Amino acid sequence: MRVAPDIPEHFIKQMETWMGPEARDLVEAMTGRPWRGLRYAAVANPHGSLPAGLAPFLGERIPWTDDGHYLSPGVSLGYTVLHQAGAFYLQDPSAMAVAVALDPKPGERILDLCAAPGGKTTYAALLAARRGGAHIVANDIHRDRVVTLAENAERVGAPCAIVNESPAALAEAWPQAFDAVVVDAPCSGEGMFRKDPAVRKEWHPDAPAKFQALQKDILAHALAVLRPGGRLVYSTCTLNPLENEHVIAWLLEHFPVELEPLPDWPEWSPARSDWAQGRVEMEGAKRLWPHLGRGEGHFVARLRLHEPIAAARRRSRAKAGQSLLSDKTWSAWLSSLLTDVPDAWRQTRVQKTVVFADALGDLAVDGLRILRPGPPLAERKGQVFVPHHAASRLVAPGGFRATVEVDEETAIRYLAGEPLSMPANVAQDASFFAVAHEGFHLGFAKRAPGRLNNLYPRGLRSTRIESLAALAGAAGSSSS
Ligand SMILES: C[S@@+](CC[C@H](N)C(=O)[O-])C[C@H]1O[C@@H](n2cnc3c(N)ncnc32)[C@H](O)[C@@H]1O
């Protein structure tokens, strides 16, 4: 058996105990190249498809997705115009299984409890948008990670609220408030061994048991936010039964929940009933093994809650910021910006000077760390509004009154912060223009004498963006 030099010896022994000779295949698979995936991501245009310019980099479609593809090895697409525009999301193919298992339904209220950096949230938002939308609240306990979560949600136009709280605080604040909750739990990360040497290095024999205790704690709180009949999706990117089958067996034993069988997609193996006291229903949960499929490894289970979990004290329902519902200036400004104003943009909350679409509804917010009550729409400067960069990503092609479609070269200059020359035939009365490439909105520009000033945020500007043609050429020459 070939073994990568730093795969922990104790991990190998442990997996041999669980799996017998099959552990050899698993460990050998970890010496190979990781599988990478790319999926369509623009939530504002959920029925759109991947742009043709990406074709040279794509392999087969990932079977459990409509829009995900394996990515050719050695290609790096993070610094491209279409990535910055939120046209696609780079994600481990096996991680895409989680939103597929969630199977969001129209109008549902969904909490993603461990959401950063946002892979599952953004896919759930896209799948929900294809069915008319859902109300998604994305939470993470770590402040630095929640900032990245907000950036990723903004990039692809996922219209969710972003919260930075402990599961215990949310269980207390939001008892029985959600139709579905996702717990993509912190774990020992054995499914990351192949792609991340740091995870191999940090792994410790005690890690699975320690994480199991944390996972149980998070799950007990997660169930408390679910309405009876609601569903919990539990996932990890680790392979250890202690953090997977054992955790689900514990849930089944201690709570009024039932496992729902997940679909039998190719490369989704049944979870192991022999690792769960012989419970055959465990096979309805799924494992995506790195040696049996094209992905880094995931465990996914979906459970239905039958009875409410004892609710903690209900909090009062203070609002995070004031509503602007009756503000005529706001309505008039929206009509000047958009061809058709979405209802969601009329239900707003204002924090400091920023106007947000309200994604929290009647959820209590007092005492909670709410980073964003919904996607940012505009900044208020006195009685004047300036569109927030994030708002550009929330609107489908053709949705802004004034749009400038630019070629890739101009888009690269725009993303670096350069102004645009004034195009011919622009709307005479427009102050703000959406800047788009291939129908994906990059951001805004503002009319100035003889040109359009660049409103792309300074913190996002980059001079590293490369053209797809150059990348395809480089990939072709390195493989020949
Ligand atoms: C596997 S990652 C989530 C990945 C994310 N769902 C995605 O798809 O991009 C687990 C997350 O759990 C968060 N976490 C760690 N401890 C936690 C706790 N006690 N309660 C809630 N979340 C926690 C971590 O900050 C981390 O972002």
Side-chain angles (χ1 to χ4, degrees):
M1 150 170 73
R2 281 187 305 140
V3 178
D6 53 353
I7 299 264
E9 188 64 27
H10 190 93
F11 164 77
I12 299 173
K13 287 217 171 78
Q14 194 180 53
M15 292 320 277
E16 278 171 346
T17 313
W18 292 110
M19 303 173 81
E22 191 187 350
R24 289 168 170 265
D25 301 334
L26 172 66
V27 173
E28 188 153 341
M30 288 180 170
T31 63
R33 240 189 228 270
W35 287 93
R36 298 181 310 147
L38 173 159
R39 59 173 173 75
Y40 182 79
V43 180
N45 187 23
H47 299 288
S49 46
L50 284 165
L54 294 172
F57 310 102
L58 303 182
E60 278 176 42
R61 190 169 56 78
I62 297 166
W64 46 94
T65 71
D66 289 330
D67 48 19
H69 284 259
Y70 297 99
L71 190 56
S72 308
V75 178
S76 177
L77 293 177
Y79 286 96
T80 59
V81 172
L82 289 171
H83 186 259
Q84 302 299 312
F88 63 86
Y89 200 102
L90 298 164
Q91 190 172 32
D92 166 13
S94 60
M96 295 180 196
V98 179
V100 172
L102 171 65
D103 192 18
K105 305 283 189 296
E108 281 190 326
R109 186 182 263 173
I110 298 168
L111 175 63
D112 189 347
L113 201 51
C114 309
K120 281 66 170 202
T121 302
T122 52
Y123 202 16
L126 178 79
L127 297 183
R130 288 195 183 137
R131 296 169 169 191
H135 309 279
I136 299 182
V137 179
N139 175 69
D140 203 276
I141 200 167
H142 289 124
R143 171 76 201 184
D144 51 338
R145 289 176 64 85
V146 103
V147 170
T148 312
L149 166 64
E151 284 168 3
N152 279 328
E154 279 187 13
R155 185 171 62 79
V156 303
C160 44
I162 310 266
V163 178
N164 177 211
E165 269 304 341
S166 69
L170 296 184
E172 186 190 329
W174 296 339
Q176 298 168 39
F178 288 85
D179 300 295
V181 61
V182 179
V183 176
D184 186 33
C187 67
S188 60
E190 293 160 359
M192 307 281 277
F193 276 2
R194 181 160 59 186
K195 76 171 180 193
D196 192 345
V199 181
R200 301 201 290 261
K201 222 172 176 180
E202 278 163 22
W203 188 90
H204 186 274
D206 294 342
K210 281 194 178 146
F211 276 108
Q212 186 197 68
L214 179 59
Q215 290 149 358
K216 287 178 177 175
D217 183 60
I218 294 172
L219 283 167
H221 296 305
L223 286 174
V225 306
L226 270 189
R227 66 165 172 82
R231 61 201 188 288
L232 159 74
V233 171
Y234 175 74
S235 59
T236 73
C237 64
T238 200
L239 310 173
N240 200 297
L242 289 185
E243 298 173 70
N244 295 318
E245 282 87 349
H246 284 208
V247 169
I248 300 300
W250 172 83
L251 278 175
L252 292 169
E253 204 166 302
H254 292 90
F255 297 92
V257 292
E258 185 182 19
L259 253 177
E260 287 194 340
L262 292 173
D264 287 315
W265 286 108
E267 304 175 31
W268 290 27
S269 307
R272 299 275 296 256
S273 53
D274 54 330
W275 295 342
Q277 303 136 9
R279 285 176 176 273
V280 280
E281 74 264 39
M282 191 60 68
E283 296 183 3
K286 299 294 169 192
R287 277 178 170 271
L288 287 82
W289 287 104
H291 64 300
L292 298 177
R294 293 164 291 172
E296 297 315 286
H298 244 75
F299 176 90
V300 194
R302 189 173 68 207
L303 299 106
R304 182 83 48 185
L305 178 71
H306 290 305
E307 294 160 29
I309 299 301
R313 177 179 63 86
R314 256 177 217 278
R315 292 194 185 199
S316 64
R317 298 184 173 228
K319 280 233 161 202
Q322 284 174 329
S323 170
L324 271 182
L325 263 181
S326 59
D327 192 321
K328 284 199 183 115
T329 322
W330 175 243
S331 288
W333 185 78
L334 287 180
S335 302
S336 73
L337 188 73
L338 299 154
T339 52
D340 194 10
V341 180
D343 285 347
W345 290 44
R346 297 192 189 277
Q347 316 286 325
T348 56
R349 293 178 186 227
V350 184
Q351 285 184 355
K352 295 187 180 153
T353 58
V354 181
V355 183
F356 296 88
D358 177 17
L360 289 172
D362 65 355
L363 290 171
V365 294
D366 56 326
L368 296 179
R369 286 188 299 264
I370 309 281
L371 197 74
R372 292 167 181 208
L377 302 178
E379 260 199 86
R380 183 146 70 166
K381 300 190 170 170
Q383 278 309 299
V384 180
F385 295 104
V386 175
H388 191 286
H389 166 69
S392 65
R393 308 294 168 89
L394 299 170
V395 174
F400 288 108
R401 286 200 179 278
T403 303
V404 188
E405 172 73 30
V406 297
D407 60 18
E408 193 190 38
E409 198 186 318
T410 311
I412 289 174
R413 290 207 305 272
Y414 172 78
L415 295 174
E418 291 185 26
L420 299 174
S421 49
M422 182 69 79
N425 305 323
V426 292
Q428 289 308 313
D429 57 342
S431 306
F432 298 104
F433 293 75
V435 180
H437 175 62
E438 296 197 22
F440 296 97
H441 293 133
L442 298 169
F444 292 105
K446 186 173 185 216
R447 181 193 290 275
R451 66 180 202 180
L452 296 178
N453 281 344
N454 192 325
L455 297 186
Y456 195 63
R458 286 184 192 281
L460 294 178
R461 291 178 188 181
S462 172
T463 51
R464 290 179 57 192
I465 309 298
E466 292 186 84
S467 86
L468 285 177
L471 285 171
S477 58
S478 68
S479 62
S480 59

